[in-house]
Amino acid sequence: MARGNVTSTRSTINRELLTDQLFAQLTSTDDPNRKAQLTEELVGLHLGLCDALASRYLHRGADREDLVQVARVALLLAIKRFEPAEGRTFVAYAAPTISGELKRYFRDHCWMVRPPRRIQEMRARASRERADLEQRLGRKASV
């Protein structure tokens, strides 16, 4: 079992190093063809992240193919917006970006009745507040 963990850790480290190298090349080139090639390599390197994040949202009213497509478009957005000089890893930046786009997709496309965005956001906030209240009280919240 330890052998699998070591292999997994090594591949993660290798992927992070390769990602850093690709972003260094991407920021240093002005050639559009080279930028496209480097972006394609970065996308290929992180498709597994997209698929894993998309699979978290299965069975919630959207097709798997749609979720994967949203996640992959979000990956492209993350690649465009990522700034390596800020000191965090790309995966630490991309994962919340992709998750946010998936949640936005659900909010905008998967409701049967389309309440206004403000109502949808209030519902999400009320749910979070209820969970916090229950945590503080140590019991279910009542009316």
Side-chain angles (χ1 to χ4, degrees), residues 26-28 50 56 59 61 63 68 74 83 96 99 118 123:
L26 187 63
T27 56
S28 67
C50 292
R56 288 183 182 178
H59 310 296
D63 292 332
V68 169
E83 302 211 7
S99 292
R118 183 179 58 81
R123 180 186 163 277

Side-chain angles (χ1 to χ4, degrees), residues 29-49:
T29 187
D30 291 327
D31 179 23
N33 293 329
R34 181 68 178 141
K35 281 186 182 246
Q37 178 188 11
L38 291 167
T39 300
E40 187 176 327
E41 288 182 47
L42 284 164
V43 167
L45 199 56
H46 294 92
L47 284 178
L49 174 65

Side-chain angles (χ1 to χ4, degrees), residues 68-136:
V68 169
Q69 182 177 6
V70 169
R72 290 179 179 186
V73 169
L75 176 62
L76 281 171
L77 289 174
I79 290 170
K80 282 185 177 182
R81 295 177 185 163
F82 181 66
E83 302 211 7
E86 291 185 6
R88 60 181 165 172
T89 65
F90 175 70
V91 171
Y93 177 81
T97 301
I98 295 168
S99 292
E101 289 296 323
L102 287 163
K103 290 174 185 175
R104 187 173 296 111
Y105 175 78
F106 274 101
R107 182 191 68 204
D108 293 344
H109 298 284
C110 294
W111 285 60
M112 295 307 241
V113 176
R114 299 292 311 208
R117 178 179 288 176
R118 183 179 58 81
I119 300 295
Q120 295 177 37
E121 290 171 349
M122 279 191 343
R123 180 186 163 277
R125 183 174 175 214
S127 178
R128 285 191 308 270
E129 292 295 328
R130 188 174 107 240
D132 290 344
L133 180 62
E134 289 176 356
Q135 181 68 33
R136 275 185 293 170

